């Protein structure tokens, strides 16, 4: 028999509760990859991220800035220019992203098969 889960296993004082939720968000990972080689402007990010709305991209960038993953640089020019760049903390996510991409590459066939089997069992 499996032991009961501890109701305090996610104590509010635990450092894991401060973990940025958006790390698991698909747009955050894609922004990290877009910024891997250096700073980019908003419209540059929009090119490969064409499926995300401007509003969601702006919210993602704001959340990433709040959590110290990117820096936002606004230049006093006409027209105004804003660039986004990974911080040293944000660059540490590249290791996690690489690991996740490797896992996906190694397990994609099994993942696709599991999803197909689930859909066949429960088409709703």
């Amino acid at each position: 028999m499996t032991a009961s889960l501890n109701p305090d296993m996610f104590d509010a004082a635990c450092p894991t509760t401060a973990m940025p939720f958006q790390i698991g968000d698909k747009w955050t990972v894609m922004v990290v990859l877009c910024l891997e080689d250096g700073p980019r402007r908003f419209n540059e990010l929009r090119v490969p991220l064409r499926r995300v709305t401007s509003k969601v991209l702006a919210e993602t960038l704001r959340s990433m800035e709040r959590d110290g993953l990117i820096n936002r640089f606004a230049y006093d020019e006409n027209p105004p220019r804003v660039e986004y760049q990974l911080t040293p903390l944000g660059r540490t996510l590249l290791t996690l992203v690489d690991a996740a991409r490797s896992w996906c590459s190694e397990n994609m066939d099994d993942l696709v098969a599991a999803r197909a089997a689930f859909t066949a069992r429960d088409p709703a």
Side-chain angles (χ1 to χ4, degrees):
M1 183 157 145
T2 304
S4 297
L5 290 173
N6 180 349
D8 295 322
M9 66 188 287
F10 299 114
D11 188 315
C14 179
T16 59
T17 61
M19 185 172 81
F21 176 78
Q22 81 267 4
I23 288 174
D25 173 81
K26 71 178 178 178
W27 301 121
T28 296
V29 170
M30 291 180 185
V31 168
V32 167
L33 290 172
C34 289
L35 297 177
E36 181 176 11
D37 293 329
R40 301 284 179 183
R41 295 177 73 174
F42 187 88
N43 285 333
E44 286 181 279
L45 296 172
R46 292 283 319 202
V47 173
L49 302 175
R50 61 189 169 275
R51 292 184 325 236
V52 65
T53 65
S54 294
K55 178 184 178 204
V56 170
L57 180 56
E59 290 170 353
T60 299
L61 291 166
R62 230 178 332 248
S63 293
M64 292 176 73
E65 183 182 13
R66 179 201 65 215
D67 289 332
L69 303 176
I70 62 171
N71 284 321
R72 179 183 183 274
F73 298 101
Y75 298 93
D76 189 19
E77 299 175 354
N78 194 6
R81 178 170 58 106
V82 177
E83 291 182 338
Y84 299 91
Q85 182 175 20
L86 288 174
T87 63
L89 178 63
R91 293 196 75 71
T92 65
L93 291 176
L94 290 167
T95 304
L96 296 173
V97 171
D98 286 343
R101 291 173 96 184
S102 292
W103 182 89
C104 287
S105 179
E106 293 168 13
N107 296 286
M108 187 57 70
D109 292 341
D110 292 337
L111 180 63
V112 170
R115 288 182 177 180
F118 180 85
T119 301
R121 270 194 334 263
D122 186 11

